[in-house]
Amino acid sequence: PTNFVEKILAGEKVTTIRVDAKGRWKVGNKVHFATGVRTKNHNQFAEGVCTKVDKIEIQHSRIWIANKWVYSHHVFINDSRLNEDEVKELAKCDGFDSVDAFFDWFNTDFEGKIIHFKVKKPCSEELHNVQVEADGRCHICEGTELIVN
């Protein structure tokens, strides 16, 4: 299991990688974190805001060397190729425990977007029952609450 829900709520997963053929994702867009989307088990467990959008391309290749297949993976963000450490950081930010787990999930060539986000936390004032704004302030009491991540 990916444990993405727990990682999002803990501020460990701060990006999501998606196909975005229609250019839907923009800075400032609301993000609705949910499981079971388009099913009777739909559960929105948090709300957030998109803080940045990057283009991503993942390429897989294999070549025959010394009587065996050698596999390689290349990741490009905004047309710049990532080095090994940057791929490791990308995998961590996207909630994966390892680079291998990242490439197990993204196991075919892929083009899309990296959506960076911040998760809103509820205002600690029980009567307000609202999410704090992206700037970290409750619009009722103007009190500040830390936004996860």
Side-chain angles (χ1 to χ4, degrees):
T2 60
N3 298 316
F4 283 165
V5 172
E6 293 82 1
K7 290 177 181 180
I8 289 169
L9 294 175
E12 297 169 15
K13 178 176 168 55
V14 295
T15 64
T16 187
I17 298 173
R18 298 278 183 254
V19 172
D20 189 27
K22 296 182 181 181
R24 168 186 175 205
W25 288 103
K26 309 265 189 266
V27 171
N29 281 12
K30 284 185 179 181
V31 181
H32 298 98
F33 300 98
T35 57
V37 177
R38 295 181 187 85
T39 73
K40 66 179 181 174
N41 298 320
H42 182 268
N43 174 38
Q44 182 178 323
F45 60 88
E47 187 177 298
V49 63
C50 174
T51 59
K52 183 178 178 185
V53 179
D54 290 306
K55 179 178 139 185
I56 185 169
E57 183 175 354
I58 300 170
Q59 298 174 350
H60 301 274
S61 60
R62 69 179 187 168
I63 56 174
W64 186 257
I65 298 178
N67 294 322
K68 65 178 181 179
W69 287 109
V70 176
Y71 297 88
S72 65
H73 315 283
H74 305 287
V75 179
F76 299 84
I77 295 179
N78 299 326
D79 299 319
S80 294
R81 185 174 168 186
L82 301 188
N83 63 36
E84 286 182 39
D85 289 337
E86 291 167 327
V87 172
K88 185 176 180 180
E89 182 65 19
L90 171 66
K92 179 182 173 190
C93 288
D94 209 54
F96 292 94
D97 294 329
S98 68
V99 170
D100 287 341
F102 177 83
F103 286 120
D104 286 346
W105 187 274
F106 292 101
N107 58 11
T108 60
D109 289 354
F110 178 87
E111 288 186 35
K113 300 282 178 62
I114 304 173
I115 294 90
H116 304 255
F117 56 79
K118 292 200 178 279
V119 177
K120 295 182 181 182
K121 286 178 58 178
C123 178
S124 60
E125 294 291 329
E126 289 183 29
L127 297 176
H128 294 177
N129 195 26
V130 296
Q131 300 287 320
V132 295
E133 299 302 317
D135 65 1
R137 296 193 163 280
C138 170
H139 71 273
I140 295 173
C141 68
E142 295 298 315
T144 58
E145 284 289 321
L146 294 178
I147 296 178
V148 176
N149 69 11

